[in-house]
Amino acid sequence: MRAMKSTLFAATALLAVSGVALAQQSNLPPLSKNQALHDQLPEKFRTAGKMISVNNGSFPPYEILEGQKLNGASADLSDALSEILGVKIEHSTVGGLPARLTGIDAGRFDFALGPVGDFKSRQEANDFVDWVKEYVVFAVKAGNPAGITSLETACGTRISVMAGGSAERVITRAAEDCEKNGQPKLVVQSFTDQPTSILAVRSGRADAFFSSQAPLSYFVQQSNGELELAGVGQSNGFDDLFQGAVVQKGSPLGPVLLEGIKLLQESGHYQEIMTRWGLENNMLLEPGINLGK
């Protein structure tokens, strides 16, 4: 685990330097407070001058917690949103998606910038402000020794996954299908964070990590050739997959965040942030609320 944390720290430092260089080269105008959008914020946020965004702290390249500081694309996007909304966005870290959603619903946190997977089942309790298009694939040892090329070829393997997320539900159903069809057992290993999940693959305790393509690409890039992606271009149990910020159901904060993200797209800052963190293939051209079907 120490080796993994050291790798994440080094990668974060490298990307941070790259981000600074990119920002220095940018010809984008500086961001400033949009008074009309600020006035649309719920009164409690305008009075307090701040909002609290909850994160998992281990969802690179979106969320990378180093000490007390949150880095990554989501952190940069929240800084940009803070500028145009005219309120400070503070960060609070909890483990696992269920704890984040429960905290938002209970009012302990105001929102989660995420991105979090937007699904119809989750829309019953929350609204999603989608700003990412994602895909779900596998991270495997180089050479793909278990021969995993899609969800349909995962029977007889050990798959690590983050607990409480959509990928866990999909791989659990796949395990049930393997058993029902008399195929070799698919063993699901659930962990609370990304580094532990990927460490299971690197240490040989799991054959693959099943998760979003963006963070898996990050881990593969930092593995010095030890890992590779598998199942790319396959549906792997998902249709169009949108991810975004999470707010309470019916919260007036949702439309304000949506308009804020649209302004960042119009100014080019959204594209700059996504590109800075290697997420140009995950950009969503038209953000929206509850796009997941």
Side-chain angles (χ1 to χ4, degrees), residues 16-61:
V17 171
S18 299
V20 170
L22 230 169
Q24 291 174 341
Q25 296 172 7
S26 172
N27 293 319
L28 296 178
L31 294 169
S32 59
K33 177 180 176 180
N34 184 295
Q35 189 63 48
L37 204 54
H38 173 82
D39 293 343
Q40 293 175 36
L41 282 169
E43 183 179 357
K44 67 174 184 177
F45 301 137
R46 288 185 277 117
T47 301
K50 67 177 184 180
M51 299 187 294
I52 299 176
S53 175
V54 62
N55 65 82
N56 186 58
S58 58
F59 189 46

Side-chain angles (χ1 to χ4, degrees), residues 2 66 75 84 131 140 153 182 215-216 225 229 239 250 282:
R2 287 183 178 177
E66 292 292 347
I84 62 176
W131 54 277
V140 300
T153 62
L216 292 191
L229 294 181
D239 294 319
N282 297 93

